[in-house]
Amino acid sequence: MTKGDLEAVRAKDAAHYLHPFTDFKALEAAGSRIIVRGEGVYIFDAEGNRILDGMSGLWNVALGYGRRELADAAYRQMMTLPFYNSFFQTSNIPAARLAAELASIAPPQMSRVFFANSGSEGNDTIVRAVRRYWELLGQPQRDVIIGRHNGYHGSTMAGASLGGMAGMHAQGGLPIPNIVHIEQPYFYELGGDLTEDEFGIKAAGWLEEKILAVGVDRVAAFIGEPVQGAGGVIIPPRTYWPEIQRICDAYGVLLISDEVICGFGRLGTWFGCQHFGVRPDFITFAKAVTSGYFPLGGVIVSDRVSEVLIESGGEFNHGYTNSGHPVGCAIALENLRIMKDEKILENVSNVLGPHLAARFHALADHPLVGVTETLGMVAGLVLMSEKQKKLAFDPTLEVGMICRRHCFEQGVVMRAVGDRMIIAPPLVMTTREIDDMIGVIRRCLDLTLQELTAMGAF
Ligand SMILES: Cc1ncc(COP(=O)(O)O)c(C=O)c1O
């Protein structure tokens, strides 16, 4: 691409493209970095810079870029049947096969799938299905869903309401009625003098307190991500999820595991709930189901819920034009085949996850790093002004953004969530590439430290 072509694209981008989750004015001033190509675990920008994608796109490009098998699967399906809907008692071959495949890798109590196009739409579907379930059981007042502060469940009206992002709730009159939140299980910030195990029980107890405060007969469901992703890779203590399960069972509350990030091998299991040993009623999935090669999402539903929806008869008045899109489903089938054939999950569990953990935890000796946490192929660290005293930086310094800028400039994508720096690399990374990535991250921590020292902020 010539410099002139690039400037023309940048100008179009600035003049016409409203980017998601973006300060439009700030972007207009700065201009976009245009990404033109991907190969393996690398992306390339229009200026020819090669950047190691430590975030797998947006947590989704699990198998990396340039997988011909996925492109071929799309091409074959497009030439055979590019689209047909699943309304009006019709179906298509990839959708039926993918539903069965997802049921086969999901926990045993779950055997049915509803397709959507994204994680947000999956969660919207769940809100409607949960409320219909309780209506059909003669308990229509049971319509309150409990989520968590700093949880992320998407950006549609229901998705953003289930999530606990204060900045999102501040715009557009959210949350919608009958969605309430409890505190997140963030040990480093909220653990106090407790052990991790003790804190996990305490944090789960906040759910019980909320159920009792709202009224047992009002609470329909609880939703959480096994590991909070967009909130900054918050990994709960191992005692947390089993206690959440106990509480949901005790009060008959449906359990929703939002696996949009944790699904498909990210934690070394098909779904994060399998790692933590929970038995959800709903799993939200999206992103890595196609490794990001096509927008596809949906919901895996437990038999106890789907049997009520089916047995009652009557239409579930909900669906999307592209529910069960044959091209997306064909790509997902091929993606899952590759994950099995290449033993991606085993590799994450036995090789890549432990390797990433060892290398990432070594960053904890850096003067800026307060704590490091990893699980499978996600990792997070927090930048602290005085790590011994757990003293955070002044938020107006936007220290995370300084570090993120250095990472981009040095050739690694690392995301900043406030002052938490997080990664979720492709599941096909080699141990050598992990070493390279950690080397660059350390260099960027040094550069951030230098910049803060020069500003007099450290
Ligand atoms: C846990 C979780 N749920 C839901 C979503 C929303 O998915 P989408 O952006 O595909 O609507 C996301 C997106 O990052 C997510 O991380």
Side-chain angles (χ1 to χ4, degrees):
M1 184 176 245
T2 66
K3 207 160 180 308
D5 288 345
L6 174 57
E7 286 319 314
V9 172
R10 280 232 174 87
K12 287 192 168 78
D13 191 79
H16 302 292
Y17 186 7
L18 296 173
H19 291 221
F21 281 103
T22 293
D23 176 335
F24 303 133
K25 196 169 175 187
L27 183 69
E28 203 174 278
S32 296
R33 180 190 293 269
I34 310 289
I35 307 300
V36 291
R37 193 167 72 80
E39 191 181 311
V41 299
Y42 292 96
I43 51 173
F44 295 81
D45 69 17
E47 275 141 341
N49 297 304
R50 189 180 81 146
I51 304 162
L52 200 156
D53 186 5
M55 279 306 298
S56 307
L58 216 43
W59 319 83
N60 51 352
V61 189
L63 292 184
Y65 298 91
R67 294 295 303 229
R68 177 167 292 278
E69 308 96 307
L70 299 181
D72 286 346
Y75 178 78
R76 275 196 307 273
Q77 186 58 43
M78 281 183 177
M79 294 306 291
T80 310
L81 181 71
F83 178 78
Y84 200 74
N85 67 72
S86 298
F87 293 34
F88 320 126
Q89 301 183 352
T90 57
S91 190
N92 66 74
I93 295 169
R97 284 193 177 143
L98 180 61
E101 184 64 23
L102 290 170
S104 78
I105 60 175
Q109 77 280 6
M110 313 187 86
S111 61
R112 290 190 174 82
V113 179
F114 192 98
F115 287 114
N117 305 288
S118 66
S120 303
E121 288 181 359
N123 284 326
D124 275 47
T125 299
I126 289 175
V127 171
R128 307 212 37 205
V130 161
R131 289 181 174 163
R132 177 153 170 84
Y133 170 81
W134 287 115
E135 271 164 26
L136 290 170
L137 288 183
Q139 299 179 55
Q141 82 291 348
R142 209 161 177 164
D143 61 354
V144 175
I145 303 179
I146 302 175
R148 300 181 299 181
H149 296 305
N150 201 37
Y152 187 75
H153 300 296
S155 194
T156 49
M157 295 294 277
S161 298
L162 294 169
M165 296 293 175
M168 294 176 79
H169 290 179
Q171 297 174 355
L174 300 180
I176 57 174
N178 297 326
I179 294 181
V180 296
H181 300 85
I182 59 170
E183 194 46 87
Q184 59 180 331
Y186 186 11
F187 177 66
Y188 182 71
E189 198 170 88
L190 305 172
D193 294 334
L194 300 179
T195 64
E196 264 200 71
D197 283 355
E198 288 166 349
F199 175 70
I201 301 289
K202 179 180 171 184
W206 295 329
L207 174 61
E208 188 159 25
E209 285 168 20
K210 186 60 102 178
I211 292 171
L212 295 173
V214 170
V216 178
D217 61 334
R218 290 288 322 273
V219 179
F222 170 71
I223 184 167
E225 304 151 78
V227 170
Q228 287 155 259
V233 179
I234 310 292
I235 302 169
R238 63 185 174 171
T239 49
Y240 180 75
W241 276 109
E243 182 65 2
I244 290 281
Q245 177 81 63
R246 186 196 67 73
I247 293 165
C248 287
D249 289 348
Y251 296 100
V253 169
L254 298 173
L255 180 51
I256 305 162
S257 190
D258 184 337
E259 304 268 358
V260 168
I261 282 176
C262 296
F264 309 105
R266 178 67 47 203
L267 306 185
T269 44
W270 282 114
F271 297 101
C273 59
Q274 293 158 327
H275 172 85
F276 288 107
V278 259
R279 302 178 311 280
D281 294 289
F282 294 91
I283 284 177
T284 325
F285 67 90
K287 291 195 188 276
V289 67
T290 61
S291 277
Y293 283 62
F294 199 90
L296 175 68
V299 184
I300 312 178
V301 186
S302 71
D303 295 337
R304 80 160 163 163
V305 171
S306 62
E307 275 158 20
V308 169
L309 299 180
I310 293 164
E311 290 308 316
S312 66
E315 191 167 311
F316 181 40
N317 296 320
H318 174 70
Y320 308 101
T321 298
N322 291 318
S323 287
H325 195 292
V327 178
C329 293
I331 297 170
L333 282 167
E334 183 63 1
N335 183 58
L336 298 180
R337 181 197 66 73
I338 296 172
M339 285 190 168
K340 285 182 178 172
D341 285 1
E342 296 186 0
K343 302 205 176 335
I344 298 288
L345 273 58
E346 292 85 338
N347 204 29
V348 168
S349 282
N350 303 329
V351 182
L352 297 180
H355 191 84
L356 178 69
R359 294 292 184 275
F360 199 82
H361 287 313
L363 297 170
D365 67 1
H366 194 278
L368 278 180
V369 175
V371 72
T372 52
E373 294 163 78
T374 79
L375 184 58
M377 286 294 269
V378 287
L381 59 81
V382 62
L383 303 171
M384 297 301 273
S385 166
E386 278 187 65
K387 63 198 260 182
Q388 276 76 19
K389 292 189 193 159
K390 282 199 180 177
L391 204 65
F393 282 103
D394 173 353
T396 60
L397 290 171
E398 298 199 335
V399 171
M401 296 306 276
I402 295 176
C403 186
R404 193 188 78 154
R405 169 168 47 78
H406 284 299
C407 288
F408 244 119
E409 285 169 8
Q410 297 295 314
V412 163
V413 180
M414 194 177 197
R415 178 161 161 181
V417 179
D419 291 347
R420 279 185 74 84
M421 302 303 300
I422 60 174
I423 50 170
L427 309 184
V428 291
M429 230 182 201
T430 62
T431 52
R432 174 92 189 266
E433 286 163 341
I434 289 176
D435 295 346
D436 292 347
M437 176 177 70
I438 299 294
V440 179
I441 290 173
R442 183 174 282 281
R443 194 156 71 239
C444 294
L445 290 170
D446 290 341
L447 290 167
T448 306
L449 181 58
Q450 276 169 27
E451 187 168 333
L452 289 170
T453 310
M455 289 159 64
F458 191 82

